[in-house]
Amino acid sequence: MIAAAPGASIPVGRRVRVQVPATSANLGPGFDTLGLALNVHDELEVEATAGTAVRVEVEGVGADEVPTDETNLVARSLLHVLEAVGVEAPGLVLRARNSIPHGRGMGSSGAAIVSGVLAAQGLLEGLVELADADVLRLATELEGHPDNVAPAIFGGLTIAWVDETGPRHKQLAVHRGVSLLVAVPEATMSTKLARSLQPEAVPHADAVFNLSRSALLVAALTQSPELLLDATEDRLHQTYRASAMPETSALVGALRAAGHAAVVSGAGPSVLVLAGDPAARLEAAAIVESRDEPWRALLLAVDIRGGTVEPIPPQAAA
């Protein structure tokens, strides 16, 4: 990443539009490594204005809950990028239309971070060139790990890891036979709480178990959907977190007992089903809807585009 030339500034009136998908991380055995982009999106428009004030307008999910100033996560992420490249922040107006549920294990915080980073990338056009690797690194700095931000940026199925150069990723195409279902409860779950339930060490046999299932899951998602049930077995995180979300654990158990590849979506409490065909997905949805607890069954697809940013031409400005 190259820093901006001294004195470089974002032109007042420059506007960009950003769209970022929801994500589901872990996918069972791929803890902190595997992630999948979903076709539910948050949308954002950002305008550079005179002065230094930051104003955030939110429609949809979180409209009555999220901050509307520079402490908003999207705004903080955008400002983080500008500081990193040495460009003074202009005034900013952010208009967000949110559809990704908050606190449900569908990557809402990762999507907010990626939205801010991509908005900064668009505003910096002609001043600083942010490559894909820069976007991933900056988003990971803010999120702490790349498993959610990688699919939000690049789309599809992603494998994310970190080496001495920073976060890296590999994007893969999901087999067209795979159908997705996300069961969303009314309850929320704190990612911080979920992570606190993880032990610092796990048995050697469990580590080997998950290594085999993670490798198998990549094959199942890209080539052999008939292996999805075996490939989504996990011994590293879901059992330890079950006590904090018993309804989620019970639903995962009921779905798997019926032959469906169900896992906790991210940190939960939503449940992701990786169905081998549309008929199996409908069967899973019927099980979700038959539960005593209220769940929303979302029939989704894999988002293959990932996050996008585009300029808004001056003539399109309202």
Side-chain angles (χ1 to χ4, degrees):
M1 182 174 64
I2 302 172
S9 61
I10 296 169
V12 170
R14 177 169 286 184
R15 301 177 72 198
V16 297
R17 180 181 293 112
V18 174
Q19 186 180 76
V20 176
T23 57
S24 183
N26 302 327
L27 311 183
F31 184 62
D32 277 2
T33 300
L34 298 180
L36 193 62
L38 312 173
N39 68 332
V40 178
H41 301 90
D42 283 352
E43 299 177 355
L44 176 71
E45 291 185 5
V46 180
E47 180 178 2
T49 62
T52 59
V54 176
R55 186 174 85 248
V56 182
E57 303 170 3
V58 181
E59 299 177 14
V61 176
D64 299 325
E65 303 168 4
V66 299
T68 56
D69 57 13
E70 68 276 1
T71 64
N72 180 281
L73 182 55
V74 179
R76 283 193 282 123
S77 303
L78 196 166
L79 294 171
H80 173 78
V81 177
L82 299 186
E83 181 180 8
V85 301
V87 172
E88 184 175 354
L92 295 166
V93 177
L94 292 79
R95 300 179 178 91
R97 291 180 290 277
N98 295 342
S99 298
I100 302 172
H102 287 184
R104 302 307 204 288
M106 294 180 67
S108 61
S109 63
I113 288 168
V114 171
S115 293
V117 175
L118 289 179
Q121 182 187 42
L123 291 174
L124 289 167
E125 184 178 356
L127 302 174
V128 178
E129 183 68 28
L130 293 181
D132 287 348
D134 299 320
V135 172
L136 179 59
R137 180 178 61 78
L138 289 161
T140 302
E141 287 176 0
L142 291 156
E143 176 76 345
H145 41 88
D147 58 329
N148 267 315
V149 296
I153 295 167
F154 303 109
L157 170 67
T158 58
I159 306 170
W161 70 100
V162 179
D163 63 18
E164 64 277 2
T165 67
R168 300 180 64 189
H169 86 287
K170 173 63 179 177
Q171 179 193 34
L172 299 170
V174 175
H175 191 284
R176 59 184 175 182
V178 176
S179 298
L180 307 181
L181 165 69
V182 178
V184 183
E186 291 184 350
T188 61
M189 168 59 68
S190 161
T191 300
K192 183 177 181 180
L193 171 60
R195 285 187 170 273
S196 73
L197 300 173
Q198 294 294 123
E200 293 186 2
V202 297
H204 179 271
D206 289 352
V208 173
F209 182 94
N210 268 58
L211 285 171
S212 68
R213 298 314 190 271
S214 295
L216 183 61
L217 181 54
V218 172
L221 283 170
T222 59
Q223 298 178 350
S224 306
E226 70 276 7
L227 297 174
L228 281 167
L229 183 61
D230 287 344
T232 48
E233 293 180 306
D234 161 68
R235 291 183 184 175
L236 287 189
H237 66 103
Q238 293 179 127
T239 301
Y240 298 109
R241 297 173 172 181
S243 62
M245 41 186 166
E247 292 86 3
T248 295
S249 181
L251 179 57
V252 169
L255 286 162
R256 294 190 68 84
H260 300 290
V263 298
V264 177
S265 181
S270 293
V271 173
L272 171 69
V273 179
L274 300 169
D277 58 68
R281 178 170 68 171
L282 291 177
E283 293 172 6
I287 294 173
V288 171
E289 292 165 355
S290 71
R291 306 293 290 180
D292 292 335
E293 304 85 8
W295 294 84
R296 284 191 298 145
L298 306 180
L299 307 182
L300 302 179
V302 177
D303 177 281
I304 61 173
R305 295 182 65 193
T308 61
V309 56
E310 61 182 8
I312 301 176
Q315 61 267 28

